[in-house]
Amino acid sequence: MIKVLALFILLIAGIVLGPVFAGKQGYVLIQTSQWNIETSVTGLVIILLVALIVILLIEWVIRRLFRTGSRARRWFAGRKHRLAQKHTNTALIKLAEGDYQQVEKLMTKNADHADTPVANYLLAAEAAQQRGDEIRANQHLERASELSTDNQIPVEIARARILLAREENHAARHTIDRLLDVAPRHPEVLRLAQTAYLRTGAWSALLDILPSLEKDQIVSKEEAETLTQKAWLGLMEQAMASGGSEGLKQWWGHQARKTRQDSRLQAAMVTHLIECDDHEMAQVIAMDGLKRHYNESLVLSIPKIKTANSDESEKLVRQLIKQHGSTPLLESTLGQLLMRRGEWQQAADAFKAALAQRPDSFDYAWLADVYDKMRRPEEAAKMRREGLHLTLTKYPDQ
């Protein structure tokens, strides 16, 4: 526009000033080695103006040609974009139908021209994995990684999900550990971490993320408690597997007081120590736990502990009966301890007190054994019949 305006100004100036300089046009000589060009000043101005017009015309033609090429490129690019969007929408419908082969095919068609090409390749990778084509899945993941230069988190999440689907749990855990470093509160990362840690037995790592899982409502409070218990039991089993009784006791000693006073963990610890044939330590933990909190699991473990000092266990059980009343579990436990000491009459009284409150096939069997020791065969036979009848009534198909 400015060039055209300048041209018009020059034309108007020529029209206005031409008559003024008429007859005073001057003389212009352009001399070369072979040519001599003679013209007036007015003629030279006209030649320059014509040359300028020609140059402007050529520039306009070239600009139009380039604009036409640019429009053509934009049209073709727009067409590819429209096709990519169409394929993406169709692929989403196929995804709902479970047609993973079509999902992969449509997601990768013109994917580079889609609104979010990274998402297209990630969905194509998961579709390929669903079909069991690991090579294609890896190819799509790599392409998504190339395109996602600013944010690799979606790519790594998809990679971890695919690795878990392949049961490559340790590789998935390695990927998830890296993700937790950069996105420790990402909900999907936490969900994947929970799965990976459970599968690989990474109990300490699971305990570390449980507060975030519960805070972000990925798991409920009850689920968090269950997972916490599972993690502690897993750590306990690992300590026992690596160091036996000594490794288990060393691990237990390194735990916080709050952990060591958890009655459920105490019961599990007693069970593991009995498995390791360390009955002395098992008795110490069981008695310490029962003195603090009444726990039926700990009470159940008392008769399984075989130590030379069973008097302390009997004394504790009698104290619990005074505190919590005569319950079937406590009376049965007392009866078993008295059997071990040969106190047959007292053991019989304890078992009868337990059976008076609820029938139990084990108590019938123990009472029958006691009657045998007391040389009362008829009563022993009666208890065995009662126990057998109870078992057949309770488990009719066995």
Side-chain angles (χ1 to χ4, degrees), residues 139-194:
Q139 289 174 348
H140 297 321
L141 275 177
E142 291 308 313
R143 181 56 181 156
S145 181
E146 291 172 4
L147 293 172
S148 184
T149 55
D150 298 331
N151 183 14
Q152 285 288 319
I153 291 177
V155 178
E156 294 304 309
I157 287 176
R159 192 187 307 279
R161 192 183 294 117
I162 288 173
L163 289 171
L164 287 173
R166 296 176 187 171
E167 299 291 335
E168 297 179 19
N169 300 317
H170 289 282
R173 179 186 166 186
H174 179 66
T175 300
I176 290 165
D177 286 340
R178 293 201 311 267
L179 278 169
L180 285 172
D181 289 337
V182 296
R185 297 297 299 275
H186 194 292
E188 185 61 18
V189 174
L190 290 171
R191 288 190 191 92
L192 293 171
Q194 177 188 344

Side-chain angles (χ1 to χ4, degrees), residues 231-251:
W232 282 116
L233 292 177
L235 288 170
M236 197 178 293
E237 290 172 1
Q238 287 177 351
M240 184 178 73
S242 62
S245 173
E246 290 303 317
L248 194 58
K249 287 189 289 186
Q250 186 177 10
W251 173 83

Side-chain angles (χ1 to χ4, degrees), residues 167-235:
E167 299 291 335
E168 297 179 19
N169 300 317
H170 289 282
R173 179 186 166 186
H174 179 66
T175 300
I176 290 165
D177 286 340
R178 293 201 311 267
L179 278 169
L180 285 172
D181 289 337
V182 296
R185 297 297 299 275
H186 194 292
E188 185 61 18
V189 174
L190 290 171
R191 288 190 191 92
L192 293 171
Q194 177 188 344
T195 302
Y197 293 160
L198 283 170
R199 290 187 183 181
T200 58
W203 307 117
S204 295
L206 179 61
L207 287 172
D208 290 339
I209 67 169
L210 273 173
S212 297
L213 287 170
E214 186 177 358
K215 185 175 181 180
D216 293 345
Q217 299 182 342
I218 297 171
V219 297
S220 64
K221 184 177 180 181
E222 294 74 16
E223 290 172 331
E225 291 178 357
T226 301
L227 288 171
T228 301
Q229 185 74 6
K230 187 178 181 68
W232 282 116
L233 292 177
L235 288 170

